[in-house]
C-alpha cells in the first residue's frame, strides 16, 4: 500500500516540471490527483496520461489560479468529482525578473498574483472542506530565494517569502482542526530552464553546492510526498530547503 493510498490531492501548475513530478509521485503512492493549470494543453494531456498509467483517478482542470472566483469554482468542481480533498500543493508560479530600478508595476503585480495570491485563493477554498474532514495537508512551493533573497528577483523572492509566512500562519490557525501547512524551498533544480543557462553559470552554481550536483524534480517530489503523508503527521509550520546544502 502506498503512502498516500485513498488520498485526494490538488496540485496547481502541474502540467510540467516540479508540479508534474509531484503529481506522478503522488499517484505512484496511491493518491487520486487533480491537476490545475491555466490551460489544459498538449503538455498537460501528456501529464494526465502518464498519471493515469498508475491506475488511479486523475483529472485536469483549466483554471486561472490568480483568480479568486475561478479558484473557488474549480475547487467546488474537484470536490464534486472526487468526493473530498486531502492534500493541496500550491505549485503554480512564474518569473518576471529584473532589477528594482527597471522593474515595472506589471512585472511585480503578475508575479505576486500568480505565485502568492493563488496560494491564498486555493487555501481559502480548500480549508473549509478540510475542516469538515477534520484534517488535511497543505504544501506551499517556495524557493531558497524566498529564504535568502536574490538580486534582480525582488518580486519572485517576495512572493516566495510570502508563501513561507503563509504556511506558518495557516499552520497556527488550522492546527486545531487537524490541518498541517508546510513549505518546500528548492535550490538549483535541474530542469529545462536551468539546463538552458550558460555552462559557466551552471558550473559556478554547482560548485557552491556541497553535494556537487543540481537537484532533480524527483528530489522535490520525494519531500512533498513526505509532507503530504502521515509520516509527517507531527510536522507543521516548517520550511524545508531542498538545495544540496547550498544555503546552510
Amino acid at each position: 500500500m502506498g503512502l498516500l493510498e485513498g488520498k485526494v490531492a490538488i496540485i496547481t501548475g502541474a502540467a510540467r516540471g516540479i508540479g508534474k513530478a509531484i503529481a506522478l509521485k503522488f499517484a505512484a503512492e496511491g493518491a487520486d490527483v487533480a491537476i490545475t493549470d491555466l490551460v489544459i494543453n498538449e503538455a498537460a494531456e501528456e501529464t494526465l496520461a502518464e498519471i493515469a498509467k498508475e491506475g488511479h483517478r486523475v483529472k485536469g482542470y483549466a483554471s486561472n489560479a490568480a483568480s479568486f472566483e475561478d479558484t473557488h469554482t474549480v475547487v467546488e468542481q474537484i470536490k464534486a468529482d472526487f468526493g473530498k480533498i486531502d492534500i493541496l500543493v500550491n505549485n503554480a508560479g512564474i518569473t518576471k525578473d529584473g532589477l528594482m530600478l527597471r522593474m515595472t508595476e506589471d512585472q511585480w503585480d503578475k508575479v505576486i498574483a500568480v505565485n502568492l495570491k493563488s496560494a491564498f485563493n486555493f487555501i481559502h477554498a480548500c480549508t473549509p472542506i478540510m475542516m469538515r474532514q477534520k484534517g488535511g495537508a497543505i504544501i506551499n512551493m517556495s524557493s531558497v530565494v524566498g529564504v535568502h533573497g536574490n538580486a534582480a528577483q525582488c518580486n519572485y523572492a517576495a512572493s516566495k517569502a510570502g508563501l513561507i509566512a503563509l504556511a506558518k500562519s495557516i499552520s497556527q490557525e488550522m492546527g486545531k482542526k487537524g490541518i498541517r501547512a508546510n513549505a518546500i524551498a528548492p535550490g538549483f533544480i535541474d530542469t529545462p530552464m536551468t539546463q538552458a543557462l550558460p555552462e559557466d553559470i551552471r558550473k559556478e552554481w554547482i560548485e557552491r553546492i556541497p553535494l556537487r550536483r543540481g537537484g532533480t524534480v524527483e528530489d522535490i517530489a520525494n519531500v512533498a510526498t513526505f509532507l503530504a503523508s502521515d509520516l509527517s503527521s507531527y510536522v507543521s509550520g516548517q520550511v524545508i530547503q531542498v538545495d544540496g546544502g547550498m544555503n546552510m
Side-chain angles (χ1 to χ4, degrees):
M1 181 178 289
L3 290 171
L4 304 177
E5 200 71 38
K7 305 281 190 182
V8 174
I10 297 177
I11 306 165
T12 70
R16 63 195 68 78
I18 289 173
K20 176 180 178 178
I22 292 172
L24 288 168
K25 180 67 174 176
F26 280 13
E29 291 293 343
D32 293 329
V33 177
I35 73 169
T36 74
D37 222 302
L38 191 58
V39 293
I40 300 300
N41 55 18
E42 186 176 345
E45 293 289 357
E46 289 175 2
T47 297
L48 291 167
E50 286 185 55
I51 298 168
K53 290 178 183 177
E54 297 294 338
H56 293 272
R57 287 188 300 165
V58 60
K59 189 169 181 180
Y61 299 82
S63 173
N64 179 5
S67 164
F68 186 83
E69 184 177 355
D70 273 14
T71 298
H72 276 261
T73 298
V74 79
V75 167
E76 288 173 9
Q77 186 60 57
I78 292 169
K79 171 63 164 59
D81 290 343
F82 288 85
K84 61 176 184 169
I85 297 168
D86 302 295
I87 303 159
L88 168 64
V89 181
N90 288 307
N91 173 71
I94 61 171
T95 58
K96 289 187 178 292
D97 298 344
L99 295 169
M100 171 59 81
L101 293 179
R102 296 176 183 171
M103 183 169 290
T104 66
E105 182 181 14
D106 184 65
Q107 285 176 302
W108 175 272
D109 287 347
K110 283 186 176 175
V111 168
I112 296 299
V114 174
N115 296 9
L116 182 56
K117 184 173 184 285
S118 67
F120 162 75
N121 292 340
F122 270 91
I123 291 171
H124 193 277
C126 288
T127 47
I129 297 167
M130 291 178 172
M131 286 170 65
R132 289 192 292 272
Q133 296 169 180
K134 297 182 168 54
I138 297 168
I139 302 167
N140 287 351
M141 197 57 56
S142 181
S143 166
V144 291
V145 169
V147 180
H148 303 279
N150 198 36
Q153 282 194 311
C154 63
N155 52 358
Y156 185 76
S159 71
K160 294 300 186 178
L163 286 170
I164 292 172
L166 179 59
K168 289 179 177 289
S169 298
I170 293 300
S171 72
Q172 294 181 41
E173 282 188 31
M174 295 294 173
K176 60 184 175 292
K177 302 295 184 181
I179 298 170
R180 300 182 294 109
N182 293 285
I184 298 174
F188 184 87
I189 305 302
D190 209 6
T191 64
M193 183 176 69
T194 56
Q195 288 166 7
L197 291 170
E199 188 57 35
D200 58 332
I201 293 177
R202 284 177 53 84
K203 183 178 179 182
E204 180 185 346
W205 277 21
I206 289 172
E207 285 177 351
R208 291 172 51 200
I209 301 170
L211 290 183
R212 292 298 189 271
R213 69 171 177 87
T216 67
V217 291
E218 289 76 21
D219 289 325
I220 308 303
N222 288 338
V223 175
T225 301
F226 166 71
L227 291 175
S229 76
D230 292 340
L231 290 177
S232 61
S233 62
Y234 202 55
V235 179
S236 194
Q238 303 304 306
V239 52
I240 300 178
Q241 295 187 86
V242 187
D243 62 5
M246 181 172 64
N247 291 294
M248 289 187 280

